[in-house]
Amino acid sequence: MTTQRPGALMSAHEGLVEAPIDQVRGAVLAVPTGRLRGAEAPLVLGSMDDRYVTVSGGPSTFTAAVAGVPLTIEVDRDAGWVQARGQWWWCGRFQVAEHAEGTLVTQQTFNCATGPVARLVPLTVGRGHRANGRGALLRVLEELADRLHCAARPLSD
């Protein structure tokens, strides 16, 4: 498993969850397996709504399929992150760390493309990465506040 960045950082967003780090880690880093839908799906995959996702493998590397699109999910529990990687260019990571007011949750989007095409990603398929990353963080913060019965808010970015 990779403990380094999987590619060039495109954007990062931070949020604060007013709950102990162990509770937040448990929720963010959880990767259940099976045929899952909605809130059953790993948080790193975002909103599944009525779509099904199939997750297998573990305990640190999983494979997933969302609407036929294959993804790899990696978890580094010691470092406090989980990431989903798919298609040919994209990786989204959630990092959990201690904070004086609770737990800091960071969402990062990486460009995993290599060679000359890597420079084109932000101008083509990655155009919405900043808004999409912020939206992913907001959804996770909302879900954590609901699950853990605590306050959660984005920090300015």
Side-chain angles (χ1 to χ4, degrees), residues 44-61:
V44 71
L45 295 181
S47 176
M48 289 291 108
D49 299 321
D50 289 332
R51 292 182 298 168
Y52 281 96
V53 58
T54 302
V55 180
S56 61
S60 59
T61 302

